[in-house]
Amino acid sequence: METGSVTTPFGRRSMTLGMLANQVMAGEIKPDQSVDKWKLFRALCEAKPLLGIGDRALAVLNALLSFYPKNELAEENGLIVFPSNIQLSLRTHGMAEQTVRRHLAALVEAGLLLRKDSPNGKRYVRRDRAGEVNEAFGFSLAPLLARAEEIEQLAAAVMAERLHVQRLRERITLCRRDIAKLIEAAVEEEIPGDWQGLYREFRDLIEGLPRSPTTAQLELLLDELTALRTDILNRLEIRVKSKKQRGNADYIERHIQNSNPDSTSELEPGFETKQGAMAEQDKGREAETLEEGRGEAAQSRQEESRHSGGRNDGGALKSFPLGLVLQACPEVLAYGPGGAIRNWRDLMTAAVAVRSMLGVSPSAYEEAANVMGPENAATVMACILERGGHINSAGGYLRGLTRRSEKGEFAIGPMLMALLRANAPAGRKVG
């Protein structure tokens, strides 16, 4: 019985207490214990991170197991395999013999194999007259049989850990989606709050995760994202409850203002609208006419009534707050009067300069202003400037958006939000 005695290594290889401990453990195989060698090998492949062995060492072990004549590892069948390095190289698809020797040593070091060296260090077998194995020198698979239960438990632990990580990643993905869409909804609905700051905090959490994170790092990220999502939900719920308490009076007032195409209280100074009787007025005097008779109160009501990204009840595009437009499109600042944009009139002045610089014809821009409204046309020009490297023909692009706007198929919100997200990591600020 090859597991019943202690053997020392051949040549210059020294004996260690670890080798002795592995031989003692291998000698404690339970009576009648057996295990399917390929089932055990699959468990080894799962448990390899905990056993400290690599793929190539497993390839060598696979080759060794292929030399074992039975499918069941059992002491009664003998546990010694004795292929030469040349034979192992062939069954490992041409692995170099030096590499084979290195991985055999790694398997012995990991306590998965035992050396039973012959007096001259060669691997061979002695048989009796009946052809039965009398004595064999090579590698003993006894440690695999002795540790079979331990290996299967390690494999189960690795699989459970992998499933845990998979579920963590799924939950992180759901949290990321929820946070991004909730912030976007809050910005589009113009709910008061530092949404840009929350978005930066969100991006910092995501970008701070290493390329190959540990389970602990994933758990920490999930906790932080869950807390951030809870914070955002609380802010939105407070807003919803506040609206319910106030009733619908403010909403009805805004609805009336947005639904009246002739209302000038919906417009800020410099918003040269083409609706109703305004279409017959001189274009050069529209901004001054709109400024007259409008006080600070009307401007305040206008800011409260404006919604970003969608279309109002009459089908017209709604405008975004000027500050949000400049955050999403900081490049347009350089084209404002004196290199600054302080109001919508300045943005429209800058849009004319951008139009000329990008080669957009006056007729294309005038058509866009007629369909979208001057503020929105200026906003679109700022967006086109920001995305200049991705647009081949600014004029054709603007005409396409104008046609889509006429059909009610275009909204500025998604375009602005995409630019806002693209510019957020760079940390650029509007002056």
Side-chain angles (χ1 to χ4, degrees), residues 282-303:
D282 181 74
K283 295 178 184 176
R285 299 183 55 201
E286 283 175 352
E288 287 77 10
T289 303
L290 288 172
E291 283 183 320
E292 295 174 1
R294 295 179 57 211
E296 294 297 327
Q299 294 181 23
S300 176
R301 288 195 304 272
Q302 180 275 332
E303 285 295 336

Side-chain angles (χ1 to χ4, degrees), residues 159-205:
M159 288 187 285
E161 177 72 5
R162 185 167 61 245
L163 181 59
H164 178 54
V165 169
Q166 179 183 348
R167 289 175 177 171
L168 282 175
R169 290 184 179 276
E170 289 174 351
R171 293 173 63 188
I172 287 172
T173 298
L174 291 175
C175 266
R176 290 180 61 176
R177 184 180 69 192
D178 292 346
I179 291 171
K181 289 185 177 292
L182 287 171
I183 291 177
E184 184 175 352
V187 172
E188 291 184 352
E189 294 293 332
E190 293 188 12
I191 295 176
D194 184 16
W195 301 111
Q196 185 70 5
L198 288 172
Y199 185 78
R200 283 195 296 269
E201 180 183 349
F202 166 57
R203 293 309 309 172
D204 289 342
L205 290 175

Side-chain angles (χ1 to χ4, degrees), residues 29 112 171 178 271 283 296 335 349 372 431:
I29 297 174
L112 300 176
R171 293 173 63 188
D178 292 346
F271 188 59
K283 295 178 184 176
E296 294 297 327
Y335 297 87
T349 301
M372 303 178 187

Side-chain angles (χ1 to χ4, degrees), residues 266-280:
E266 183 72 13
L267 307 175
E268 288 184 359
F271 188 59
E272 302 170 337
T273 162
K274 305 295 182 179
Q275 298 175 343
M278 294 293 296
E280 300 177 0

Side-chain angles (χ1 to χ4, degrees), residues 244-263:
K244 287 182 178 179
Q245 291 173 357
R246 290 199 310 266
N248 294 326
D250 293 341
Y251 169 76
I252 294 172
E253 180 181 354
R254 287 195 299 270
H255 177 76
I256 293 173
Q257 292 174 349
N258 289 338
S259 301
N260 184 1
D262 297 322
S263 173

